[in-house]
Amino acid sequence: MSWLARHLTLWSRTLGPLRPLSAPALCARYRHESWNVARELASVGRARRVVTARLGDWGMTDLADTAELLVSELVTNALRHTRGPVRLNLRVRGFHLRCEVEDADSAGPARRIADAEAEGGRGIELVDMLAEHWGSTDTGTGKAMWFELPIPGPGHTDALAAHPPARPAL
């Protein structure tokens, strides 16, 4: 994209009409919600419902199915393979939804190849296929497994092309 095209795009967004307060949350630049996850398998279903409800509140129902599936995978992995507290975070920054599942184990995910008859072992592959970005970040108390989904909407493709997000190393 040329210098002139980038600046025209920037100025067209700057001079565009302001978003009214009644507009959907899809245009929000930053939102954050966080929940503790109880250490029981029933918490996986609760996490799915909370994510779907919050995305509905934020006007992002287009992302609900994918986010629900991927949150389910990360919460299940945290409950099955770690000990200690688990926390679910949803964040909207710019044109991306970021979902994080924090736990007290510092070990990152182990990718493995599941054979055709295995009942498990495909969670990280699903995250890799469906998320635009994903990874693991060290925290002061363990790690946060996260993924990002692009928020669909008019004009978002131009903004993402002009400012591509950095992909952190795993």
Side-chain angles (χ1 to χ4, degrees), residues 134-137 146 166-170:
W134 68 276
S136 176
T137 305
W146 57 268
R167 184 170 189 151
L170 295 178

Side-chain angles (χ1 to χ4, degrees), residues 16-61:
L18 293 175
R19 180 177 67 89
L21 293 175
S22 61
L26 228 162
C27 299
R29 300 305 260 167
Y30 182 81
R31 289 184 181 260
H32 177 226
E33 292 285 338
S34 189
W35 303 270
N36 289 324
V37 177
R39 292 212 56 92
E40 55 190 38
L41 288 179
S43 296
V44 177
R46 284 192 290 274
R48 286 192 301 260
R49 288 188 296 278
V50 162
V51 166
T52 301
R54 185 58 64 218
L55 292 179
D57 293 345
W58 290 351
M60 298 182 198
T61 54

Side-chain angles (χ1 to χ4, degrees), residues 105-149:
D105 188 353
S106 60
R111 288 184 97 161
R112 58 184 181 184
I113 299 171
D115 62 30
E117 296 178 22
E119 290 186 21
R122 294 179 185 84
I124 296 300
E125 295 304 319
L126 278 174
V127 173
D128 191 41
M129 284 191 315
L130 298 175
E132 184 170 279
H133 305 285
W134 68 276
S136 176
T137 305
D138 291 333
T139 65
T141 57
K143 72 172 173 308
M145 287 296 302
W146 57 268
F147 64 87
E148 290 182 343
L149 299 173

Side-chain angles (χ1 to χ4, degrees), residues 82-110:
T82 69
R83 299 200 184 282
V86 175
R87 183 168 204 65
L88 170 62
N89 304 307
L90 287 182
R91 302 175 199 275
V92 174
R93 289 192 180 154
F95 301 120
H96 282 88
L97 170 70
R98 182 177 175 121
C99 301
E100 301 173 344
V101 176
E102 296 180 62
D103 61 54
D105 188 353
S106 60

